[in-house]
Structure formats: C-alpha cells, structure tokens
Amino acid sequence: MEGLVKGLEGVALGDAVEGAESRRDRRAGAAPVDWDREGPARSTWAEVASEEKRGAQERGWESVEHDRKQQQQHIPAPTQWHNQSLLQDEGGEMMGGGSDGATGIGHSGQRLQTSQCGTERQVHICSVSALMVIFAHYHLARIIVMNLVMAPWFEMLGCTRAKLWRLGDRGRKEESQKITSEWKRYKRLPSEQEYSEDVSHIHHGLNVEPTREELDHLSKTCARLWELDLNRLTPGKDYTIECGEGKKVYHKGDKASENLFSWLEDSVLRRPTYSRFCALLDNYNPHQGYKEPVTQQDKHEEAAFIEEISRSAPIKYLHRYLVMKEAMSQDYEDFKKVLTSPWFDLCGRGGCSSSSSAFEHVFVGEIKGQKQAENEVSGFHNWIQFYLEESNGNVDYKGYIFPRRRGELPDSETQLLTIQFDWRGVLKSVSSTLIGVSPEFEIALYTLCFFAGGGDNHVDIGPYSVNIKCYRLGDNKIGSAFPIAAN
C-alpha cells in the first residue's frame, strides 16, 4: 500500500513539475517542454501498482516500512503545508527559482517535503473528486443515451419519450406493491375473514326490488343497475385519465403521449370489493393454452369475493330480478353458489382443457401465442386490471378508437372508452372498457345479460347506449362478456 501511495505521489509530482516548468520557461522565454516526446512516460495506474509489487519483492516489506518512517520524520505541520501551497499558487516562485534540471525540485528541498506532507490528503481529495466526476459523467451519459440515442428507437416502436420515463414510475409501482401485500389475508378460510356491512344496514330504505317495467325491458334493468352502483368512482374526484388522440383500428403507432391513468385516489383499491377483486387477478397464467392450477387458497379468494359483493346493492338487485323471472332460487346461499360457477369454473380454450375461466378472460385477459399460431390479446375488458398493469409497466396505452359514427369525442369525464393498447408487448387492437365502475356492477351486468338476455343486448347504462355482447360456452358457462359502444 505504501508503494502505491508513493506511486500516486510521483504522478502528482509529475503534474506539478510540468506546470512549474511551463511557467518558468515562459518567464525565461524558453519553448515549453513536450513531455510526451522528450520526458519519461507518465506513470499509469497499472504501472504504479506493478511498481509497488516489484519494489516490495526487491527490498522486502522491512525496507518499505523503514522508508515510510523516515518520510514521516520530515513531514511539516499541516499549517506549514497549507501556507506553502498558497505561496506556490499565488507566486509560483517557490518551486520555480533554482530548480534542479532533472526533477524541477528547488535547492531548499521544500517542494519535496510539501508534496510528501500532503500526499495522503491529496490522494483522499483526488479519490473523492474522481468519484464525483465519474458519478456526474455517468448520469450525464445516461441522459444523453436515453434522450438522444435510445428514445428515437423506442418512439419507432410506438413508445413516446414521455411514456418511456413514466413506465418506470416508482411511486405508483411501490404503492401497488404495498396494496398487493395486503391482499394476502384473503387467502384464509372465508369463514375466518371479515366482511363489510350489508348495504341494507347502511342505506336504510334502499329499494332493490325490480319494477314491472324493469322486468319487461332489459335496458331498464341495466339502467337501474347503474343507479344502484353506489361504489362507482367519480371522474376528476377519484381518478384522472388522459385520453390522448384518436385513431382508426388499423392505424399503427402511438397516439397517446401519456398513460391513460394519470392519477387514482389512494384509498380506492382498499375498498372491500375492489381489494378482493384485485386479489384474484394474479391467480392466472396470462398465456392461453396452459392448464390453470387452482389452489385451495385461490378457492378461498373466490368465495370471499363472492361473499363480499353479495352484500352490495347491484348483486342484491340481480338476485331479486332473477328470482322474479323464476330463473333463480329464493335461497341467497344457493344464489352465491350459482354466481360462482359461471365465472370461476374452468373451461377449455385454445385447444387445452381447464385452461381458462370467464373471470380470467373478461377481467384479467389472455394472450394467444405460439400454440394458436397467433399473437394477440383476447378479453381484458376491465379498467382496474388496466390501471394495475399500466402502473407496473406492462401496458402501453396507444390511444382511443374513433366512434363508428360521428359523435362526441371522449375526454377525462368519459366512462365508456374504446381503446387500443399493448399488453406485455402484444397488441390489443380494440377493447371497450367501462371506466370507474365497481367490480360488483360489472359482475351483475354481465351475469344479468347472460341469464336474461342473448348474444347482443342493446341497452342503456347511465348516459351510454351500449351493446353488451355475450358468448356462451355450453349452457351454463360464460365465454366472454363486454360492452360495445353503440356509436
């Protein structure tokens, strides 16, 4: 180590000598010395280290220790070193007058002592300075590479520069990870879990009985479900979206410079039905054509979710509607079991049995891959899944799809969007999604159309005219269900 310090001292002395000789020669009118050509080669870090090794081998460590002690005897006080340094900087004559031609050291030997005194401090300062410079250069290089070199390539692939940085949004990702850890408690036995209070106990006098007009017209029934969604979010208050620009389905490229969701109120995903819904989203393999292993904990989460939403107004209204239509038993516990089967029972899809479910297809989404000789996203019609995947950098929003007929373009208040996006690098060319509605509302809406409607169900929900498209698998399983904007 002592040899390394000496080597560093030599490098520092060499730099100082060069500066002193240059200043002295300029005063005397002499030509500056070309150190690279006439003088000995400057020491490199490798040479300093190798010199240390060779010196230790030749002299032995005892000799090295002896030299170190001799040097310490001649070290002046720090104040003296500091004053001498100031004199060198201000006048330059201390090491300029009467120097040795070979080394540039003054006759008094003060310059050598000063350098030896300050070697350790100089090495420390130089090391810290070097690290600061390297750190600054690294970040400068990173900015240059990302903005000038890599960003154009990402934009060619449909990811704008603004979104490139937003995909790494740590705050949103850390928040979603924190919430995810809270969902683990839903893996316990459903009987051991706590649930929210029944809506009838909270909202006294709440009427969940269908009228005769609602029983006769499916559209009126769906409109009533919208009114009963007491857990629906309010745009601008609970979340903010940036729709970006519109595009045709066949248009390539990215028409959205930002994420679709720019903000979501922190407490939303902690609401009971939202939280239990989110806990189900990671139970599935997104790639179609692979058998889905269902654990006992998965079943606990499913049962707990059904129990939670069964306490809400939309599900209570759904039950009363189906009972009055003589399509369901009066027993509410039997109704919960019937509600579980069409959504969570496994079915075959993509040429593989027990590889999918209605819940996975509609709310989570599936990727058709090599087994189907395709590469596209299927299903994925839920805004909560979209938000979470976008927060984790797995979704790239491409913009909204222009309405089929001329009408009002979507804005931050719109709650029915037809959009295009990439999920895990695979394109979903067109997908209709209800924004801000509760999980219980969507389950009630699609279940209602499955039991009481047909393949096409042209209805009104709130201010929107939609077609709730339903596909069946057999007699009692939902193949898919999603909204299509009427215009």
Side-chain angles (χ1 to χ4, degrees):
M1 181 63 189
E2 188 62 32
L4 181 60
V5 172
K6 288 184 178 180
L8 291 171
E9 176 186 348
V11 174
L13 287 173
D15 291 340
V17 169
E18 178 184 352
E21 289 294 331
S22 298
R23 289 194 296 271
R24 187 186 63 200
D25 291 342
R26 284 197 297 271
R27 291 190 186 95
V33 177
D34 187 348
W35 286 95
D36 292 334
R37 184 177 61 208
E38 297 182 7
R42 296 184 184 181
S43 299
T44 65
W45 286 96
E47 290 170 345
V48 169
S50 62
E51 184 64 30
E52 156 66 13
K53 186 175 181 180
R54 288 195 300 269
Q57 291 174 346
E58 293 174 0
R59 301 192 312 273
W61 292 107
E62 295 83 359
S63 177
V64 173
E65 181 64 19
H66 177 71
D67 291 344
R68 184 181 65 82
K69 291 180 178 180
Q70 281 189 331
Q71 289 174 7
Q72 289 179 341
Q73 294 175 0
H74 295 87
I75 294 177
T79 305
Q80 178 186 355
W81 172 84
H82 179 68
N83 292 338
Q84 290 173 345
S85 299
L86 290 176
L87 289 174
Q88 291 172 7
D89 293 338
E90 294 174 1
E93 297 298 332
M94 178 177 291
M95 57 184 179
S99 66
D100 190 313
T103 63
I105 300 176
H107 295 300
S108 64
Q110 291 177 345
R111 181 169 173 270
L112 177 59
Q113 292 177 1
T114 301
S115 298
Q116 291 173 343
C117 168
T119 296
E120 292 187 4
R121 183 178 298 183
Q122 288 172 349
V123 170
H124 176 71
I125 294 174
C126 289
S127 299
V128 174
S129 300
L131 288 174
M132 293 176 66
V133 170
I134 292 172
F135 184 76
H137 284 182
Y138 164 76
H139 283 281
L140 178 61
R142 179 175 178 269
I143 292 172
I144 292 173
V145 170
M146 293 297 289
N147 281 275
L148 301 182
V149 180
M150 297 302 295
W153 290 97
F154 278 103
E155 289 176 4
M156 288 177 63
L157 295 174
C159 184
T160 63
R161 189 172 304 167
K163 292 173 76 174
L164 180 63
W165 291 103
R166 287 181 65 87
L167 290 178
D169 189 343
R170 292 183 179 179
R172 293 173 64 180
K173 191 168 184 178
E174 290 175 357
E175 177 64 19
S176 65
Q177 291 173 345
K178 182 179 179 181
I179 295 174
T180 301
S181 64
E182 298 177 2
W183 300 335
K184 294 180 180 179
R185 67 181 186 271
Y186 300 144
K187 297 182 181 296
R188 294 179 297 169
L189 286 170
S191 59
E192 297 177 356
Q193 299 186 36
E194 296 181 0
Y195 301 95
S196 58
E197 193 172 0
D198 193 287
V199 65
S200 60
H201 299 159
I202 301 174
H203 300 275
H204 298 286
L206 180 66
N207 183 13
V208 294
E209 290 292 320
T211 65
R212 176 51 57 187
E213 186 179 18
E214 292 165 1
L215 289 171
D216 292 339
H217 298 90
L218 187 62
S219 182
K220 297 289 185 181
T221 310
C222 294
R224 180 74 181 280
L225 275 178
W226 178 271
E227 295 174 3
L228 289 172
D229 188 12
L230 308 177
N231 212 10
R232 185 173 62 251
L233 306 186
T234 303
K237 177 184 177 182
D238 298 311
Y239 69 91
T240 305
I241 60 172
E242 299 289 343
C243 294
E245 298 181 16
K247 62 189 301 186
K248 296 289 186 180
V249 175
Y250 53 83
H251 283 168
K252 297 181 179 180
D254 197 333
K255 290 292 185 179
S257 61
E258 301 290 338
N259 288 341
L260 175 60
F261 286 91
S262 57
W263 173 74
L264 179 69
E265 209 281 324
D266 290 342
S267 65
V268 167
L269 297 185
R270 292 188 173 91
R271 298 185 185 186
T273 59
Y274 285 77
S275 183
R276 292 183 186 276
F277 175 86
C278 292
L280 298 168
L281 298 176
D282 64 352
N283 291 350
Y284 303 95
N285 179 355
H287 296 280
Q288 197 177 98
Y290 297 89
K291 286 194 174 184
E292 293 286 358
V294 180
T295 67
Q296 195 61 43
Q297 291 179 335
D298 293 340
K299 290 184 175 294
H300 292 167
E301 289 178 340
E302 294 168 3
F305 172 70
I306 294 297
E307 177 62 36
E308 187 65 57
I309 65 174
S310 67
R311 298 162 181 261
S312 68
I315 300 299
K316 286 185 172 295
Y317 177 82
L318 170 67
H319 175 244
R320 293 303 305 154
Y321 177 91
L322 294 177
V323 167
M324 296 179 73
K325 280 286 190 177
E326 299 182 351
M328 191 67 57
S329 167
Q330 289 268 9
D331 191 293
Y332 205 54
E333 293 302 318
D334 290 343
F335 167 68
K336 294 177 188 178
K337 295 176 183 178
V338 173
L339 191 60
T340 302
S341 179
W343 283 109
F344 293 106
D345 284 357
L346 293 180
C347 59
R349 206 188 297 266
C352 181
S353 62
S354 302
S355 62
S356 180
S357 70
F359 185 91
E360 176 188 8
H361 181 83
V362 174
F363 298 116
V364 181
E366 297 177 292
I367 299 175
K368 296 180 180 179
Q370 296 178 352
K371 285 192 174 183
Q372 294 80 35
E374 299 178 71
N375 196 33
E376 65 178 8
V377 175
S378 179
F380 201 138
H381 300 285
N382 180 257
W383 75 267
I384 300 175
Q385 167 74 341
F386 189 101
Y387 168 80
L388 292 172
E389 287 295 277
E390 189 176 52
S391 298
N392 290 326
N394 296 327
V395 160
D396 183 13
Y397 174 59
K398 300 289 188 180
Y400 65 86
I401 303 299
F402 285 124
R404 296 176 182 177
R405 295 191 298 269
R406 288 188 178 182
E408 292 185 3
L409 296 179
D411 56 27
S412 60
E413 300 291 317
T414 303
Q415 291 192 275
L416 175 63
L417 279 178
T418 304
I419 60 178
Q420 186 178 99
F421 59 91
D422 280 347
W423 183 37
R424 299 175 182 263
V426 181
L427 179 67
K428 176 72 173 178
S429 58
V430 57
S431 177
S432 296
T433 304
L434 289 164
I435 307 294
V437 297
S438 68
E440 57 266 33
F441 170 80
E442 285 200 273
I443 290 288
L445 176 65
Y446 300 145
T447 304
L448 173 71
C449 292
F450 174 75
F451 279 107
D456 293 288
N457 305 280
H458 297 276
V459 298
D460 293 325
I461 49 174
Y464 307 107
S465 295
V466 300
N467 176 18
I468 303 299
K469 195 77 175 175
C470 283
Y471 292 95
R472 292 175 175 269
L473 290 177
D475 295 330
N476 61 348
K477 291 183 180 179
I478 300 174
S480 185
F482 54 90
I484 300 176
N487 60 347

